[in-house]
Amino acid sequence: MVIILLVVRETCFMGVALAIHLGLVCGFFLIMPFSKFVNCLYRLAALLADAGERQVAS
């Protein structure tokens, strides 16, 4: 999509292409917490919570 933005930057389609691009980027960030891309953050949080619980228990 970025290449398309570079190609159409001097035309009247720049506004439409930019709106589509920004919509896709915003959509990606909105669905990211529900996708597999954030699994590493959830795993890190679980490991830290487990380490904290083990430290308190001992």
Side-chain angles (χ1 to χ4, degrees):
M1 187 68 193
V2 176
I3 294 174
I4 294 172
L5 287 174
L6 290 174
V7 170
V8 299
R9 70 178 167 190
E10 298 296 326
T11 67
C12 62
F13 298 113
M14 180 60 182
V16 174
L18 189 59
I20 292 170
H21 173 72
L22 292 176
L24 289 172
V25 170
C26 288
F28 173 74
F29 281 109
L30 287 174
I31 67 167
M32 193 168 46
F34 308 106
S35 69
K36 65 180 179 179
F37 295 116
V38 78
N39 182 46
C40 61
L41 294 176
Y42 292 149
R43 179 68 179 153
L44 178 63
L47 288 171
L48 291 173
D50 184 55
E53 289 174 1
R54 287 179 188 225
Q55 190 175 22
V56 169
S58 61

